[in-house]
Each structure stands twice: as structure tokens, then as C-alpha cells.
Amino acid sequence: RLLAPIMHDSDPVVRWAVNYLLRRGLTERDLWYFKFGLSSDPTMYRRVIMPSFDGAGVLNFFTGRAIDSTTFRKYMNCETEKKAVIFNELNIDWQKEITLVEGPFDLAKCDDNATCLLGSSLSEDSALFSMIYKHMTPVILALDSDMVDKSWQRIARMLSKYDVSVRILPLGEFKDVGEMTKQQFLEAKTQAVEWDRMAALSSKIQRMRI
């Protein structure tokens, strides 16, 4: 069930889900844009469903996010090979710079031309990399702060090897994009810097000194 058309419903399950999303800083527009929903499947009880659609508008993935902090398994994903999925490809313009984040719920804080890795890695045999390379789409990496010396650098090096332009979005005090407001994300995006090997090495040396 789509949440947006019933967001003012008195059903307690609907209210729980809507209030959870609103507390995370999402808006009614976000509910429509990302097509958040609920499932009658008992395994998805008190979980908000975020679907993904491929370039033709066909459902290709979904994840269920628990709205209770005590629920075991925060996320429950469908059984699909992640490398074959471009999350919400329907929304992507490959001719414009694209922001890459780790998880689906981070996308709600980005501007519209963004997708997620469904994890913290990007492989050369993935559908997402294939499309980025095909269109030579410039990339902004906005991965979790604890991955700066791991996934960030590995992905940036790999994309750079194929002459794909890469910028790094500074998270500042935040652990991930999901902790930001949309305005904070947009401000950080204006400060994103071009990645290159020397800058990456310099940054790593500076962190080792701290």
C-alpha cells in the first residue's frame, strides 16, 4: 500500500509509518517521489517499504526498514542479486553528475539525481558501473564516514582508472548522508572536491597524524 495517498489515515500502522518518516525529516513530496509503502506480509510488520524501479519503471528491488530501534534486523531486503540492480534507475539522468550513497534511505536526503550502492562497494561487473562508464557520468561519492579509507578510495581509484570524474562530498560532523537535512546535503555538495591520488594520499597522512 502506498503511504502518500493514506498518510492522514487513522489506521495506527499507517500513523506509525508516516510519523517515523516525518521524524527522519522527510516530506509528503518524498513519500510520493520514493513511493514508500506498507506490506501486509507478517514479516514486514512495522516496517516501511522502499521500492526501486528500473529504467522501464518495473519493480527490481525493495527493502523494508524497521521503524522500531529494538527490532532485530533493521533492514530486510528482497532476494535479488544486488550487482544487477540500479536502485531507482527510473529517476536517473545519466547525462548529469550522479551522487552515490550507501543505502536507500540515504537517498531521501539527496537531490534527485542520486542512487545507492546497496552496500559499500562498487564492482566493475555491476549494472551501475556499466551505466556510469557507458555514459561517462560524473560521480559524487557520499559514503559513510567510516569508509573513507576503504570503500571511498577503492571506488574512486576504480572510476578514475576509467576516466570517470569523481568528487568527494564532505560529511563534516555527520556519519552518513542520512543524518543530514536536505539543505545540509546541498551545502555539502557545493564543497565537494575533485578526487585524485595525491589528494587522497595527503588526506590519509593527515588523518594518521591526528
Side-chain angles (χ1 to χ4, degrees), residues 13 47 61 151 184:
V13 176
R47 290 181 182 273
F61 195 83
S151 298
Q184 287 168 332

Side-chain angles (χ1 to χ4, degrees), residues 11 16 35 53 61 70 77 120 126 170 179:
D11 183 337
W16 293 333
K35 302 171 182 62
F53 300 89
F61 195 83
T70 57
N77 300 326
S120 58
S126 66
E179 290 188 349

